[in-house]
Amino acid sequence: MAIHIKNNEVAVFAIGGLGEIGKNMYGVQFQDEIIVIDAGIKFPEDDLLGIDYVISDYQYLVNNRQKIKALVITHGHEDHIGGIPFLLQQLPEIPIYAGPLALALIKSKLEEHNQLRTTELHELNEDSELRFRKLSVTFFRTTHSIPDTLGIAVHTPQGIIVQTGDYKFDLTPVGDQPAPNLQRMAQLGADGVLLLMSDSTNAEIPTFTKSERFVGNSIRHIFEKIEGRIIFATFASNISRIAQASETAMANGRKIAVFGRSMEAAIANGRELGYLHIPDDVLIDVNTLNHLPANKVMILCTGSQGEPMAALSRIAAGTHRQIHIQPDDTVVFSSNPIPGNTTSVNHTINLLEEAGAHVIHGKVNNIHTSGHGGQEEQKLMLRLMKPKYFMPIHGEYRMLKIHTDLAELCGVPKDRSFIMENGDMLALTKDSARIAGHFAADDVYVDGSGVGDIGNVVLKDRRMLSEEGLVVVVATIDYQHGNILAGPDILSRGFVYMRESGELIGQAQRRVFRAIRTTFKGDNTPTEGMVRDAITDTLQDFLFTKTERHPMILPMLVNAQ
Amino acid sequence: MAIHIKNNEVAVFAIGGLGEIGKNMYGVQFQDEIIVIDAGIKFPEDDLLGIDYVISDYQYLVNNRQKIKALVITHGHEDHIGGIPFLLQQLPEIPIYAGPLALALIKSKLEEHNQLRTTELHELNEDSELRFRKLSVTFFRTTHSIPDTLGIAVHTPQGIIVQTGDYKFDLTPVGDQPAPNLQRMAQLGADGVLLLMSDSTNAEIPTFTKSERFVGNSIRHIFEKIEGRIIFATFASNISRIAQASETAMANGRKIAVFGRSMEAAIANGRELGYLHIPDDVLIDVNTLNHLPANKVMILCTGSQGEPMAALSRIAAGTHRQIHIQPDDTVVFSSNPIPGNTTSVNHTINLLEEAGAHVIHGKVNNIHTSGHGGQEEQKLMLRLMKPKYFMPIHGEYRMLKIHTDLAELCGVPKDRSFIMENGDMLALTKDSARIAGHFAADDVYVDGSGVGDIGNVVLKDRRMLSEEGLVVVVATIDYQHGNILAGPDILSRGFVYMRESGELIGQAQRRVFRAIRTTFKGDNTPTEGMVRDAITDTLQDFLFTKTERHPMILPMLVNAQ
């Protein structure tokens, strides 16, 4: 679909973040000026085997590179900043604007990718104002599960476009964190918001999300009753939670040992920027840990999502070099499993309990609260902003859908709400809104350091391997004489146990042998491809008949010439 | 305690509403101008026997009558307007300002008391501004369980004093009701609020109160499943609830019969002012009711609090002239029992179920939501208003206390929060606040039409009567001759059954006879008081020995001269 935007129209689009949770990236364009908001990654779902993460297709931005005035960042979570190194690979000239914590996290990311010195970075605060020729950008403080979260208002000649970023209305945030700036939001609403783009993550939750302070109370009650070691697992990005656990541990006379690379980095960042007040002498290494009484220590670690390589998972599995579960240990999961992770979290909990630890988790203990507002907060945002048009963002389709229902209840009729897809272009004037076209904005897979070199074929292979296993056939063939010099040898992985399947493999070998020989019975010498196909076809049929499985068949032919 | 307010100080006080739920009445005074906010009644607790309601002692206002510029009303509930007729008896000259619905309710009240023609009434809306020489008053729309609820801002030379009225943040109100005006509240906060006086009713509830719309969904689900008659009981003042029940009934093809005087008045008022859209042909009388099929009618009535004389209680007891419970009836209690009423509500439910009705009530059915905001909403108000000083109102002591805890979490330190009592004077300048004295603001009891003629002695008597009963002794005495011409006859009520106590009464008679005679054995003729005391003392001792009770003893002596 071609894009037709009139000269007086403001265009608003998502490069990522619609129909999904993750890789948030939005754009506001007026004539020759584009403001880009966030550049996140998405963590792959289970069917994307071996993919490290998913980013957006940046081609639209590459095509319009001379128009891009700024990449403005709402907050420092990976699904909002994780894509920056990959974006900069294609568009190194984009200036980036972010609050202090997000900027610190971006800097360590750029350092890792050797991009720090070549990138233009600017620190923002709530009172910053970015002025370009036709567009300007202002900010309003919100609250989320990471400090320094900002909502963004892009002021255009047609009206104000507000992008909330991720938010909840935490009216009693912990530590020195300020409350959401309701006055500024209401002022935008009074000035007149043309389009509200609002976080839809918890659109299915009918309530007002509990304050982080509420979790602090639970942590205090729980910690007071624990007499052995405390192993506290949460997201490394949840600085407020880390602060609350650390302060409670210190109040109970416990020292803190930190495990997991991202948790160590979070503690360092948080202390440097003043979000975490943990004195040097409270942080201990593993030696001190092992010499202190159990009721004088807390272990702070990653792995609350059951990630296989995270510290807690290795502790649970007994494969951590330094930490082993002791009978009086209490493990606190201060997080809810992200839906796809329920199985691995349960697995980790089982292992921990089998090893003798007491495990505290789940909603009953009030040991976690969401960083995203529920319906009451989404309604509150709508009522504060009183937008003329509405575009739910940051959510899967059903969440976006419910969010438009809420918008309708808050005075935005359905024909002014736009449920869009990544790449859709919404064109607005002060009294009109329409879908004006579409650009390609498909997922791009990142595997290790390779970007975009994994396609659907590779993923299909990985899926087949994971589900059906692999059978490798090795044979050395003298094509000239039609002779099989060695093999065929058959090796399988993830298919059937070799030991129990000696006969099956023996039969398979004979069939493959015959199949190869048959290819030489015609008039012409077969090509390697023909032999390969013969092996594959024969083995596929045979193995399916015997096992009803479709393993990947990989003939490895050595040409003896 | 004397009151010492300096000439530059603004004084803020409660005449009622602090340390209690009910009889809300607050004042803001600067030099020679007083704005009075609300004039409510309190319904008596169980130990105030026979008291119809409780009002405030208006003496402070009477003493300062020439300073009173206005009585401004937040909304039309009895605990905010019920005291007006009694206030006007003492201060008929006060001009009253109220929103349309409150004004309509006040008018019918004044008509009843023959005060309508002598009272100065003004209709308010959210955009009204009252300007006096030194003070001015503006308004902001809130939401509550009655339409047209306003918060009040009194602008003084020292700063803005905000009184929230009763509120919840219903972001999706039903019908044509507007949402709370967040922009205006935030603007007051941005302008700078000197003192916030905020509703504390639900300070013990940690959540965000559910929207009235949520109850509508429950009503719809419940009504759809009912095949017999529906008897729907709620507060007559809850116009939104009545609207939701009526609309759902109509959507299900049911006609509506209304019972209970206050419900009839509410329907009339609500229709006249446009809050209820019930066509004439939907409202039916008892004859039509009895001729329609059960699944074509809804009975709307008062009595959801188990009030003995209300329609529902009489229906339950089988003493209603027109309505009798039928086996397929479903009674819906769309209210939670006010704490003191739990017993009578349960009693009514039992009677209804014994009569064969199905009863739906309680929280599990989501058939009710509070009109007052929980902690999250109280915090939201605090964050919107950002007051320098805080005074929790409308609540018992523990609610006021918790509310100051919330205020502290929202940036108002404890030394700037004032938990006050009725009659306490808070004196403020733009950078100071102190308790500057106290005036008498005790409860005044209203019994029938008598105001203030019931004191503690009467109440003690009523309590004794209710607990121990009454014994009346009648005797005709010729004092001159020391002769008992008739009696003593003894009659008891609420003490012991006469039939079973013939002998007890006989013995008592003989003792009283002897006691009277004994008073005549001295040198002087006894006074009536002496005879009376002799009877009382003798009978009290005798009856306590026999029954361990202390009935009230009432000698009725006839002087035969």
Side-chain angles (χ1 to χ4, degrees):
Chain A
M1 186 176 174
I3 298 170
H4 294 292
I5 296 167
K6 294 176 196 148
N7 200 44
N8 68 333
E9 285 177 329
V10 176
V12 175
F13 51 88
I15 302 172
L18 297 185
E20 61 189 349
I21 297 284
K23 68 178 172 67
N24 289 282
M25 191 169 196
Y26 306 91
V28 178
Q29 177 170 4
F30 182 71
Q31 296 171 359
D32 58 350
E33 297 193 346
I34 296 177
I35 306 295
V36 181
I37 300 171
D38 291 342
I41 50 165
K42 180 166 69 173
F43 292 100
E45 291 178 39
D46 285 345
D47 58 349
L48 294 179
L49 298 153
I51 295 296
D52 289 333
Y53 20 81
V54 183
I55 59 173
S56 301
D57 179 349
Y58 303 132
Q59 195 55 47
Y60 180 81
L61 295 180
V62 171
N63 295 347
N64 292 276
R65 65 192 304 164
Q66 77 291 350
K67 297 179 186 164
I68 302 172
K69 297 301 159 196
L71 168 62
V72 187
I73 300 297
T74 58
H75 65 287
H77 276 156
E78 282 298 305
D79 58 335
H80 296 258
I81 65 168
I84 291 176
F86 308 105
L87 179 67
L88 290 175
Q89 282 171 18
Q90 295 180 65
L91 297 167
E93 72 274 20
I94 301 186
I96 300 176
Y97 297 80
L101 179 57
L103 199 64
L105 294 166
I106 291 168
K107 278 181 181 169
S108 39
K109 200 172 281 295
L110 296 186
E111 195 139 43
E112 254 176 56
H113 286 78
N114 272 321
Q115 294 171 318
L116 188 52
R117 276 185 311 160
T118 54
T119 307
E120 183 185 334
L121 296 172
H122 302 271
E123 186 169 306
L124 279 182
N125 64 48
E126 185 192 27
D127 296 322
S128 301
E129 185 175 353
L130 313 185
R131 288 184 166 281
F132 305 100
R133 275 197 319 128
K134 297 162 185 171
L135 299 175
S136 67
V137 186
T138 62
F139 303 88
F140 54 93
R141 212 168 54 219
T142 63
T143 42
H144 184 43
S145 47
I146 186 170
D148 268 352
T149 299
L150 294 171
I152 289 174
V154 181
H155 302 258
T156 80
Q158 294 294 350
I160 304 171
I161 314 289
V162 170
Q163 208 270 24
T164 62
D166 293 7
Y167 70 90
K168 66 192 281 191
F169 282 93
D170 191 338
L171 300 168
T172 48
V174 297
D176 317 323
Q177 289 304 302
N181 193 335
L182 299 170
Q183 281 69 30
R184 197 167 285 196
M185 295 184 218
Q187 188 59 54
L188 286 166
D191 292 345
V193 171
L194 179 63
L195 176 73
L196 174 66
M197 306 161 74
S198 183
D199 174 8
S200 311
T201 312
N202 277 353
E204 294 172 297
I205 313 291
T207 51
F208 199 95
T209 299
K210 278 195 282 282
S211 169
E212 180 67 28
R213 189 175 296 270
F214 195 85
V215 177
N217 293 337
S218 301
I219 292 176
R220 274 186 288 283
H221 287 132
I222 289 169
F223 277 24
E224 274 166 17
K225 290 185 204 129
I226 299 177
E227 305 202 334
R229 298 194 303 183
I230 295 171
I231 301 176
F232 193 91
T234 192
F235 296 107
S237 64
N238 197 333
I239 303 275
S240 306
R241 191 69 47 78
I242 295 170
Q244 299 214 85
S246 306
E247 276 156 31
T248 311
M250 291 188 280
N252 289 320
R254 290 179 188 261
K255 305 277 185 185
I256 301 169
V258 181
F259 292 92
R261 204 169 65 103
S262 61
M263 188 60 84
E264 285 164 32
I267 301 274
N269 259 325
R271 292 177 76 205
E272 192 179 318
L273 292 167
Y275 296 114
L276 294 175
H277 306 289
I278 309 177
D280 283 340
D281 68 324
V282 169
L283 292 172
I284 53 171
D285 63 12
V286 68
N287 284 327
T288 317
L289 174 70
N290 290 334
H291 285 92
L292 282 171
N295 66 352
K296 293 292 175 209
V297 297
M298 173 173 83
I299 293 164
L300 194 59
C301 62
T302 54
S304 62
Q305 291 297 314
E307 309 91 318
M309 295 311 294
L312 184 62
S313 310
R314 288 183 285 132
I315 293 170
T319 58
H320 196 281
R321 273 190 309 119
Q322 299 168 307
I323 310 291
H324 303 277
I325 290 295
Q326 298 172 2
D328 275 342
D329 284 350
T330 301
V331 182
V332 180
F333 280 77
S334 189
S335 64
N336 283 340
I338 294 168
N341 297 341
T342 312
T343 314
S344 45
V345 171
N346 288 342
H347 179 64
T348 305
I349 293 173
N350 290 339
L351 288 176
L352 288 166
E353 290 191 330
E354 282 164 21
H358 176 54
V359 180
I360 292 174
H361 64 97
K363 285 183 189 173
V364 283
N365 293 300
N366 287 318
I367 198 71
H368 180 62
T369 182
S370 174
H372 299 269
Q375 290 184 356
E376 288 297 343
E377 287 151 286
Q378 291 171 346
K379 283 155 57 179
L380 181 56
M381 183 62 85
L382 281 155
R383 290 294 188 185
L384 283 165
M385 293 294 176
K386 300 195 298 180
K388 183 158 189 176
Y389 299 102
F390 179 63
M391 172 181 165
I393 59 169
H394 200 297
E396 298 174 18
Y397 178 79
R398 66 185 189 286
M399 303 164 191
L400 305 181
K401 183 74 178 58
I402 293 173
H403 208 169
T404 65
D405 295 341
L406 298 179
E408 187 177 29
L409 293 175
C410 292
V412 185
K414 274 285 161 65
D415 60 359
R416 293 190 182 169
S417 269
F418 292 85
I419 299 179
M420 309 209 323
E421 296 189 328
N422 295 331
D424 284 345
M425 272 280 183
L426 182 65
L428 301 131
T429 69
K430 63 179 188 298
D431 43 32
S432 72
R434 64 190 183 92
I435 300 292
H438 183 84
F439 60 82
D442 295 331
D443 285 359
V444 174
Y445 303 128
V446 180
D447 185 10
S449 58
V451 178
D453 56 358
I454 310 276
N456 279 331
V457 175
V458 174
L459 287 171
K460 198 174 146 202
D461 284 355
R462 289 184 179 175
R463 199 168 305 126
M464 186 190 271
L465 283 168
S466 76
E467 288 167 5
E468 311 277 332
L470 169 76
V471 173
V472 181
V473 179
V474 186
T476 305
I477 298 172
D478 176 355
Y479 286 89
Q480 202 178 340
H481 303 97
N483 197 13
I484 301 171
L485 300 185
D489 291 324
I490 294 185
L491 192 88
S492 80
R493 287 284 181 275
F495 171 55
V496 285
Y497 279 114
M498 292 301 281
R499 225 179 339 186
E500 296 162 9
S501 59
E503 196 190 350
L504 180 71
I505 298 297
Q507 289 176 12
Q509 269 180 314
R510 287 192 287 279
R511 303 241 171 177
V512 169
F513 186 85
R514 257 180 275 141
I516 297 172
R517 294 304 302 266
T518 305
T519 60
F520 286 91
K521 290 193 173 152
D523 293 338
N524 300 315
T525 305
T527 61
E528 190 177 317
M530 289 162 68
V531 177
R532 190 184 289 275
D533 287 351
I535 295 171
T536 307
D537 291 350
T538 304
L539 212 47
Q540 215 154 42
D541 289 353
F542 173 71
L543 293 177
F544 185 75
T545 311
K546 293 285 182 188
T547 67
E548 297 204 334
R549 291 191 208 174
H550 279 302
M552 176 182 286
I553 292 163
L554 203 59
M556 308 279 283
L557 302 182
V558 182
N559 188 344
Q561 53 187 354
Chain B
M1 186 175 173
I3 297 169
H4 294 292
I5 296 166
K6 295 174 195 151
N7 200 46
N8 68 333
E9 285 178 328
V10 176
V12 175
F13 52 87
I15 303 171
L18 297 185
E20 62 189 348
I21 297 282
K23 71 178 171 65
N24 289 281
M25 192 171 196
Y26 306 91
V28 178
Q29 178 170 6
F30 182 72
Q31 296 172 0
D32 58 350
E33 296 193 346
I34 296 176
I35 306 296
V36 181
I37 301 171
D38 291 340
I41 50 164
K42 180 166 67 172
F43 292 99
E45 292 178 38
D46 284 345
D47 58 347
L48 295 178
L49 298 154
I51 294 296
D52 289 332
Y53 20 81
V54 183
I55 58 172
S56 301
D57 179 348
Y58 302 132
Q59 194 56 46
Y60 179 81
L61 296 180
V62 171
N63 295 347
N64 292 275
R65 64 191 306 163
Q66 78 292 349
K67 297 179 185 164
I68 302 172
K69 298 299 159 196
L71 167 61
V72 186
I73 300 298
T74 58
H75 66 287
H77 276 157
E78 282 298 305
D79 56 337
H80 295 258
I81 65 168
I84 291 176
F86 308 104
L87 179 67
L88 291 174
Q89 281 170 19
Q90 294 180 64
L91 298 166
E93 74 274 19
I94 300 185
I96 300 176
Y97 297 80
L101 180 57
L103 199 64
L105 294 166
I106 291 168
K107 278 180 181 167
S108 39
K109 202 174 281 293
L110 297 185
E111 196 138 43
E112 254 177 56
H113 286 79
N114 272 321
Q115 293 170 320
L116 188 54
R117 276 187 310 160
T118 54
T119 308
E120 183 184 335
L121 296 172
H122 302 272
E123 186 169 306
L124 278 182
N125 64 47
E126 185 193 28
D127 297 321
S128 301
E129 185 175 354
L130 313 185
R131 289 182 166 280
F132 304 100
R133 276 198 317 127
K134 296 161 186 171
L135 299 175
S136 68
V137 186
T138 62
F139 303 88
F140 55 93
R141 211 168 55 218
T142 63
T143 42
H144 183 44
S145 47
I146 187 170
D148 268 352
T149 298
L150 294 170
I152 290 174
V154 181
H155 302 257
T156 80
Q158 295 293 350
I160 304 171
I161 314 290
V162 170
Q163 209 270 25
T164 62
D166 295 5
Y167 70 91
K168 66 192 281 190
F169 283 93
D170 191 337
L171 299 168
T172 48
V174 296
D176 316 322
Q177 290 305 301
N181 192 333
L182 299 170
Q183 281 68 30
R184 197 166 285 197
M185 296 184 218
Q187 188 60 51
L188 285 167
D191 294 344
V193 170
L194 180 62
L195 175 73
L196 174 65
M197 306 160 75
S198 183
D199 174 7
S200 311
T201 312
N202 277 352
E204 294 172 297
I205 313 291
T207 51
F208 200 96
T209 300
K210 279 195 283 280
S211 168
E212 180 67 28
R213 189 173 295 270
F214 194 86
V215 177
N217 293 338
S218 301
I219 291 176
R220 274 186 287 283
H221 287 133
I222 288 169
F223 276 25
E224 273 165 18
K225 291 186 204 127
I226 299 177
E227 305 202 333
R229 299 195 303 185
I230 296 172
I231 302 177
F232 191 91
T234 192
F235 296 107
S237 64
N238 198 332
I239 302 277
S240 307
R241 190 69 48 78
I242 295 170
Q244 299 213 85
S246 307
E247 275 156 31
T248 310
M250 290 188 280
N252 289 322
R254 290 178 187 262
K255 305 276 183 184
I256 301 168
V258 181
F259 292 93
R261 204 168 65 103
S262 60
M263 187 61 84
E264 286 165 29
I267 300 274
N269 259 325
R271 293 177 74 206
E272 193 180 318
L273 292 167
Y275 297 113
L276 293 176
H277 306 288
I278 309 177
D280 283 339
D281 69 323
V282 169
L283 292 172
I284 52 171
D285 63 13
V286 69
N287 284 328
T288 317
L289 174 70
N290 290 334
H291 286 93
L292 282 171
N295 66 352
K296 293 291 173 210
V297 298
M298 174 173 81
I299 293 165
L300 193 59
C301 62
T302 53
S304 63
Q305 291 297 314
E307 310 91 316
M309 295 311 294
L312 185 61
S313 310
R314 287 183 285 130
I315 294 171
T319 58
H320 195 280
R321 274 189 308 121
Q322 299 167 306
I323 311 291
H324 302 277
I325 290 295
Q326 299 171 0
D328 275 342
D329 285 351
T330 302
V331 182
V332 179
F333 280 78
S334 189
S335 63
N336 283 339
I338 294 167
N341 297 342
T342 312
T343 314
S344 45
V345 171
N346 287 343
H347 179 64
T348 306
I349 293 174
N350 289 340
L351 287 176
L352 288 166
E353 290 192 330
E354 283 164 23
H358 177 54
V359 180
I360 292 174
H361 63 97
K363 285 183 189 176
V364 283
N365 293 300
N366 287 318
I367 198 71
H368 181 62
T369 182
S370 175
H372 300 270
Q375 290 184 356
E376 288 297 343
E377 288 152 283
Q378 292 171 346
K379 284 155 57 179
L380 181 55
M381 183 62 84
L382 281 155
R383 291 292 188 185
L384 283 164
M385 293 294 177
K386 300 195 301 180
K388 184 157 189 177
Y389 298 102
F390 180 62
M391 172 181 165
I393 59 170
H394 201 296
E396 299 175 18
Y397 178 80
R398 66 184 189 287
M399 304 163 189
L400 305 180
K401 183 73 179 57
I402 293 172
H403 208 170
T404 65
D405 296 341
L406 297 178
E408 187 177 29
L409 292 175
C410 292
V412 185
K414 276 284 162 67
D415 59 0
R416 291 189 184 171
S417 269
F418 291 85
I419 299 179
M420 309 208 322
E421 294 188 329
N422 295 331
D424 285 345
M425 273 280 183
L426 180 67
L428 300 131
T429 70
K430 64 179 186 299
D431 42 33
S432 70
R434 65 190 182 92
I435 301 291
H438 183 85
F439 60 81
D442 296 331
D443 285 358
V444 173
Y445 303 128
V446 181
D447 184 11
S449 58
V451 179
D453 57 358
I454 309 275
N456 278 331
V457 175
V458 175
L459 287 172
K460 199 175 144 199
D461 285 354
R462 289 184 178 175
R463 199 166 307 127
M464 187 191 268
L465 283 168
S466 76
E467 288 166 7
E468 312 275 334
L470 169 76
V471 173
V472 181
V473 180
V474 184
T476 305
I477 298 173
D478 174 354
Y479 285 89
Q480 203 177 343
H481 303 96
N483 198 12
I484 301 171
L485 301 184
D489 291 324
I490 293 184
L491 192 88
S492 81
R493 286 286 180 274
F495 171 56
V496 286
Y497 278 115
M498 293 302 281
R499 225 181 335 191
E500 296 160 7
S501 59
E503 196 191 349
L504 180 72
I505 298 296
Q507 288 177 11
Q509 267 181 315
R510 287 191 289 279
R511 303 239 171 178
V512 169
F513 186 85
R514 256 179 276 140
I516 298 172
R517 294 306 299 266
T518 307
T519 60
F520 286 92
K521 289 196 172 149
D523 295 336
N524 302 316
T525 305
T527 61
E528 189 177 316
M530 288 162 69
V531 177
R532 189 185 287 276
D533 287 351
I535 295 171
T536 307
D537 291 349
T538 304
L539 212 48
Q540 212 154 45
D541 289 353
F542 173 73
L543 292 176
F544 186 75
T545 311
K546 293 285 182 189
T547 67
E548 298 204 332
R549 292 191 208 175
H550 279 302
M552 176 182 285
I553 291 163
L554 204 60
M556 308 279 281
L557 302 181
V558 182
N559 189 345
Q561 55 188 346

